[in-house]
Amino acid sequence: MKGQGVGSREQGVESRDRGTKGPREPGAVREWRRWAGPAFLLLAAALAVLPLMIRGTSCGHDFDFHLVSWIDVLHSWRHGIFYPRWAPSPNFNAGEPRFIFYPPLTWMLGAALGAVLPWTWVPVAMTFLLLASSGLATRALARQVLPDAAATLAGCIAIFSGYALYSAYERSALAELAGGFWIPLTLLLVLRPARAGSRFFGALDGSAVLLALVVAGAWLSNAPVGVMTCYLLAAFALIVSGMRREWTPVLRAAVGAALGLGLAAFYLVPAAVEQRWVAIRQAVDDPGEQIQNSFLFGRHADPQLLLHDVELRRVSWIAVGMLTAALLALLVSWRRRTLPGGRRWWVPLAIIPAVVLLLQLPLSLPVWSVLPKLRFLQFPWRWLVAVEAPLGIFVAAAVRRQGPRDRGTKGPEHSASLGWIVPIACGVVFLGLTVLAGRVFFQICDRYDAVPGMLQAYGDGGGYEGTDEYAPPGADDSLVAQDLPGACLVSDPAVLLGKTTADNPQPDWAPDQKSCVAAFNFQPVAKAPELHKRIQAAIPAAGYLVLRLRRYPAWVVRVSGAAVMDMPEREDGLIAAPVPAGPVNVTADWATTPDVRRGRWISVLALVFIAAIAAAARRRSGGQLK
């Protein structure tokens, strides 16, 4: 029957691993075998972060961004805001709409860890959890067709893959590390055969529900991971469907993707609609973040790309190493006849490294230009996260010993094991890769970027630099002055506040500069001060009150109760509200925009459909969602 071959092979592998063909093992031994693999992966992840435990945090490219986000979220939680949208500390406390556009799962996890752990340990704990989850997800995918030991080895290889360590240490791209978890689960659910029954209802089994959760999780963790997951899901489902000659995988993928995107709509809809309110194009317009400037071993005459080319050379070697290892392991496994699961299982996986290799070369530029949202990946080598699982599986298949079944004998089937040499050799390699990451990829923190320095700056109330792509259109983050008061009265709304020096190109404001006719502080607000700003003052002369608050349409500004609809735009992007002379009451309140409400309703409807499908699948499967 169609779609049953993979399932029967999976059952055969599970039978061999559990010893159903021979004498039954004692219960304690079976329980130990059940947990030994995951426990070993946790130890592997602990080894991978050992340099962080010894040397402290690696201040990679994105570290400051993540740490500030975690601190701001925890601060918002303590003021009763569960799902913050405005980050108050960037732009030196003028804020930015960071949490509208940056997916919530990882910054919520970081804030939750910060609530229970010392902040110096939070990045270490985050890296450990994300690497461990990558290994466990890869192991779950491999366990469909590989013995337990080989599947565990595949998970370890995913943890210690060059790109995972590079992302953890060199880039501190912690949200992107989540791709190592979501992508293997996506592949697992597409490769899973549908349960017995009609083709339509077989496609709407528990896997469709799980696939919806995985798609939503990918988008809510990292936008590039979400893009890659959706493209992988579509391509993988088409390939599997063609090889099995049935449309069930395509239908299941379509249902899972639609419901997953619907489930994540509370984030996706505002992030998509409100892009016109910020300079989001800066995320791809910078020369160093354009696809055409990041192909393998690219070299450029532009001096702006000098440091970019140094980094590109390093990650290019990582890409070559991972792709070569994956393709060589595939060839060795094919020659040794140890490829797992039959053609319908391993061929779709084998296509991934081949396609990722093509995406690293300039000949793929038309693909990047035509396919929607693909350019927002910024770097072609981000696709290496999709290679981690196939790399681990093919290497594990290449080095495992052949059992009678592998050699085509007709005797009793025995689980092919790794022996002793392979685990020892792999342990040495993994230890060497950890040392390499600690010496080559590790980024030393200066006094201001280290966790204690960042915490001190936060406690002092000085705030941090902003993120260019979240600035108002036409505004320049480098013009936002430090140490501004809550409001500054000026006669000319275009006047720039603060002065620069040779040592500090960022403007710095001080009262003796006389750039403000009068200065005022925000009044204390009992609830959600990040979302409500208050100033009561006697204005000595009519003019403009420049608030220490970045311009954004969700802010509703009122002067003595009347909404201000026409406000001049400033180069630094701050709000400038016209005020008359005399006593005034100026308020700025964050409003829930219509797109936010639409996104929430779509998520609720998607959740209802997911619950209905889950309930129906549960009834058909006798009470178990599989």
Side-chain angles (χ1 to χ4, degrees):
M1 293 177 63
K2 293 180 180 180
Q4 300 302 312
V6 175
S8 61
R9 281 190 293 274
E10 292 168 10
Q11 294 168 3
V13 171
E14 291 174 359
S15 299
R16 296 195 306 278
D17 292 332
R18 295 170 187 165
T20 56
K21 297 287 183 178
R24 289 184 62 83
E25 297 172 330
V29 175
R30 289 200 306 273
E31 193 68 16
W32 178 84
R33 285 183 181 275
R34 178 184 177 186
W35 295 107
F40 195 83
L41 288 173
L42 294 179
L43 289 175
L47 174 62
V49 300
L50 189 60
L52 301 179
M53 298 181 190
I54 296 173
R55 302 182 62 185
T57 302
S58 176
C59 288
H61 309 164
D62 297 342
F63 174 71
D64 290 357
F65 178 89
H66 289 304
L67 181 61
V68 171
S69 298
W70 303 338
I71 297 173
D72 268 347
V73 171
L74 184 57
H75 185 265
S76 295
W77 285 355
R78 288 171 174 165
H79 285 96
I81 307 170
F82 173 71
Y83 188 75
R85 295 186 175 274
W86 185 261
S89 64
N91 293 299
F92 309 105
N93 293 321
E96 67 184 17
R98 174 180 300 186
F99 301 131
I100 290 175
F101 302 100
Y102 205 85
L105 282 187
T106 51
W107 47 255
M108 283 190 167
L109 176 59
L113 291 173
V116 297
L117 293 175
W119 279 111
T120 52
W121 279 94
V122 171
V124 181
M126 277 278 288
T127 306
F128 167 78
L129 291 174
L130 292 168
L131 288 175
S133 65
S134 297
L136 292 169
T138 299
R139 179 181 182 273
L141 173 62
R143 279 291 290 127
Q144 286 193 310
V145 291
L146 283 176
D148 188 79
T152 301
L153 175 60
C156 289
I157 293 170
I159 290 174
F160 290 97
S161 69
Y163 187 64
L165 296 177
Y166 174 79
S167 297
Y169 283 85
E170 179 89 16
R171 298 181 61 218
S172 294
L174 299 181
E176 195 170 323
L177 280 177
F181 175 71
W182 297 117
I183 289 176
L185 293 184
T186 303
L187 305 181
L188 183 155
L189 293 170
V190 175
L191 287 169
R192 241 174 141 179
R195 295 182 62 83
S198 69
R199 292 182 177 180
F200 178 79
F201 288 108
L204 299 182
D205 61 2
S207 293
V209 173
L210 296 175
L211 196 53
L213 298 177
V214 168
V215 170
W219 276 104
L220 295 176
S221 296
N222 182 258
V225 168
V227 172
M228 288 187 285
T229 298
C230 284
Y231 277 114
L232 275 171
L233 175 59
F236 221 65
L238 287 172
I239 293 169
V240 172
S241 183
M243 295 191 70
R244 295 182 185 175
R245 297 182 181 179
E246 60 180 20
W247 52 268
T248 301
V250 172
L251 176 59
R252 183 166 55 189
V255 172
L259 291 177
L261 291 171
L263 196 61
F266 71 90
Y267 153 71
L268 288 173
V269 171
V273 171
E274 298 183 22
Q275 284 183 10
R276 67 182 186 273
W277 296 347
V278 294
I280 200 69
R281 288 292 309 178
Q282 293 197 45
V284 292
D285 284 347
D286 186 282
E289 295 175 338
Q290 294 177 359
I291 293 295
Q292 60 267 31
N293 291 332
S294 296
F295 290 122
L296 282 182
F297 299 105
R299 292 176 176 270
H300 307 90
D302 188 346
Q304 296 183 71
L305 295 173
L306 180 62
L307 294 177
H308 167 269
D309 287 352
V310 172
E311 205 64 37
L312 177 58
R313 194 173 307 115
R314 175 174 294 179
V315 76
S316 293
W317 281 116
I318 293 172
V320 168
M322 289 182 63
L323 293 169
T324 302
L327 295 173
L328 282 177
L330 173 64
L331 177 61
V332 171
S333 302
W334 178 72
R335 292 294 301 271
R336 295 184 68 225
R337 297 183 180 180
T338 57
L339 281 169
R343 291 178 63 254
R344 292 182 180 180
W345 200 91
W346 65 262
V347 167
L349 281 181
I351 293 174
I352 292 177
V355 172
V356 170
L357 174 60
L358 292 176
L359 290 174
Q360 308 307 306
L361 304 175
L363 59 88
S364 68
L365 186 57
V367 176
W368 292 97
S369 301
V370 171
L371 292 182
K373 299 298 181 183
L374 204 56
R375 276 187 168 270
F376 275 89
L377 263 66
Q378 299 171 313
F379 313 113
W381 36 264
R382 271 188 159 137
W383 277 104
L384 291 175
V385 70
V387 179
E388 293 170 0
L391 169 66
I393 290 170
F394 291 138
V395 171
V399 301
R400 73 186 181 106
R401 294 194 304 189
Q402 289 178 311
R405 188 174 190 265
D406 297 313
R407 293 191 293 267
T409 63
K410 295 183 179 180
E413 295 179 355
H414 297 285
S415 173
S417 66
L418 297 174
W420 289 101
I421 296 178
V422 171
I424 293 174
C426 289
V428 172
V429 171
F430 296 154
L431 180 61
L433 291 171
T434 301
V435 174
L436 178 70
R439 293 178 63 87
V440 177
F441 296 156
F442 190 96
Q443 301 293 300
I444 298 175
C445 303
D446 61 31
R447 183 166 62 91
Y448 300 102
D449 287 335
V451 175
M454 296 286 286
L455 291 175
Q456 182 178 353
Y458 197 93
D460 292 344
Y464 308 97
E465 293 181 353
T467 311
D468 290 339
E469 58 261 36
Y470 303 147
D476 188 345
D477 284 353
S478 66
L479 299 179
V480 180
Q482 304 177 69
D483 299 323
L484 282 173
C488 180
L489 180 65
V490 297
S491 57
D492 179 5
V495 65
L496 292 179
L497 307 175
K499 294 182 179 179
T500 60
T501 63
D503 296 331
N504 185 17
Q506 191 80 33
D508 199 356
W509 182 86
D512 58 8
Q513 294 171 0
K514 307 298 183 183
S515 57
C516 298
V517 176
F520 310 94
N521 292 320
F522 289 128
Q523 294 178 319
V525 178
K527 185 178 181 181
E530 296 94 333
L531 305 182
H532 304 283
K533 306 295 183 181
R534 301 285 184 269
I535 290 177
Q536 287 184 331
I539 304 298
Y544 294 86
L545 208 55
V546 179
L547 306 182
R548 191 184 63 217
L549 190 63
R550 220 62 191 292
R551 185 176 71 248
Y552 199 73
W555 286 109
V556 178
V557 179
R558 290 183 172 86
V559 175
S560 298
V564 181
M565 305 303 296
D566 186 18
M567 292 183 287
E569 295 184 358
R570 292 174 49 84
E571 288 187 78
D572 56 12
L574 298 180
I575 291 175
V579 291
V584 296
N585 180 18
V586 179
T587 63
D589 298 287
W590 184 268
T592 301
T593 51
D595 55 274
V596 172
R597 289 191 287 269
R598 286 195 297 270
R600 291 172 181 173
W601 276 113
I602 294 172
S603 292
V604 170
L605 291 174
L607 189 59
V608 170
F609 278 110
I610 288 172
I613 293 174
R618 194 177 181 86
R619 285 195 299 270
R620 289 196 304 271
S621 62
Q624 291 185 340
L625 180 61
K626 295 182 179 181

